[in-house]
Amino acid sequence: MYLDAAMIESKTLAWGGVVAVRGLSHPISVARKIMEEKPRLLASEGAERFARDHGFQMCKPTDLIDYEQRQHFEKQEAVIDRPATVGCVALDANGILVAGTSTGGVANQPPGRVGDSALVGCGLYADGQLGACSTTGDGESIIPVVLAKTAVDLLSGDRHPDEAAQMASEIFKQKVTGEAGCILLDPQGRVGWAHNSQGMAVAYITSAMDKPAVFTRKESELYSQKDLLVSRSN
Ligand code: ASP
């Protein structure tokens, strides 16, 4: 499996990314390290050499498969290619926003394919005035829409991240075909997300919450908010 990962922070717009890498246990940690260096986007062997030289943990490609895939592997059956994407946005006590995205790409992608996830503006973006975004979905469609930057720009005028995420999703649907989702966070710590795929697993926590909220589809969050309103009015 080939991996892409990148990270960006809002204060200095420092960013770093690795693309089409194999054998790295935590490509996002390597991307974090690259934020302090130049060049800031390293591919394949160059990224792997950088990781080795900086003491990052290397692994066998088979270490990155899940339990079910491992069972097939151990029985010498064909392993189903089921890559996953993890995106994250965070705001610290100093008001610095960070976005990070890490992916195994899309199913059965050919060697050398690079998606949106490690491309600043597409798979991730952060702006100190507006907010931070991480995206997931069909990279070939996310890239021309510059989805993460589009979503962050929609936060201007104090628009709520949920509304901005929904608007970004509408723009995506109007302009291209395919599936995409995004998570957004603004400098006030307000959270928003939207997706046009059937589901998208999301978890978030703010300083006002004592445990994380966890959902697999936007509709489940909307239902739970409705339930909360009903129980409060009773
Ligand atoms: N956006 C990723 C890519 O195209 C895949 C995903 O998020 O599911 O590589």
Side-chain angles (χ1 to χ4, degrees), residues 11-231:
K11 193 174 174 207
T12 62
L13 292 187
W15 66 281
V18 293
V19 294
V21 292
R22 300 186 87 189
L24 296 189
S25 299
H26 305 294
I28 195 72
S29 304
V30 184
R32 166 70 187 86
K33 178 73 186 161
I34 290 175
M35 286 168 79
E36 297 155 18
E37 315 271 338
K38 260 188 188 176
R40 288 201 170 162
L41 183 60
L42 290 176
S44 312
E45 297 93 30
E48 289 153 21
R49 188 175 319 122
F50 176 94
R52 262 193 304 272
D53 290 352
H54 288 81
F56 284 95
Q57 192 183 332
M58 308 302 285
C59 68
K60 297 195 289 281
T62 48
D63 290 345
L64 299 176
I65 58 180
D66 65 25
Y67 177 73
E68 210 179 305
Q69 289 170 312
R70 178 165 299 283
Q71 298 223 309
H72 287 294
F73 180 75
E74 279 163 7
K75 287 187 211 147
Q76 297 189 333
E77 294 166 359
V79 176
I80 306 151
D81 192 8
R82 202 172 39 214
T85 299
V86 179
C88 177
V89 284
L91 172 68
D92 76 5
N94 300 314
I96 299 175
L97 287 148
V98 176
T101 308
S102 181
T103 189
V106 292
N108 303 316
Q109 65 179 6
R113 175 202 178 259
V114 173
D116 59 296
S117 303
L119 305 185
V120 168
C122 304
L124 71 163
Y125 199 67
D127 175 301
Q129 312 299 316
L130 296 174
C133 178
S134 172
T135 72
T136 182
D138 298 326
E140 282 71 11
S141 299
I142 291 174
I143 291 169
V145 177
V146 204
L147 186 60
K149 175 76 163 72
T150 299
V152 166
D153 285 349
L154 288 163
L155 289 168
S156 68
D158 203 33
R159 185 172 282 121
H160 192 283
D162 242 344
E163 194 188 343
Q166 191 52 48
M167 285 171 74
S169 182
E170 290 301 326
I171 290 172
F172 179 85
K173 275 192 280 181
Q174 278 161 20
K175 294 200 170 190
V176 289
T177 54
E179 293 185 339
C182 63
I183 53 173
L184 271 174
L185 179 65
D186 74 5
Q188 303 169 50
R190 298 182 302 180
V191 176
W193 54 294
H195 55 96
N196 74 337
S197 49
Q198 249 207 329
M200 183 170 92
V202 164
Y204 57 81
I205 186 158
T206 69
S207 50
M209 296 162 65
D210 52 11
K211 60 177 188 351
V214 181
F215 303 102
T216 52
R217 309 165 59 211
K218 187 69 191 175
E219 285 77 11
S220 19
E221 186 191 43
L222 298 174
Y223 290 140
S224 77
Q225 284 167 349
K226 218 165 70 195
D227 284 352
L228 208 67
L229 286 177
V230 170
S231 65

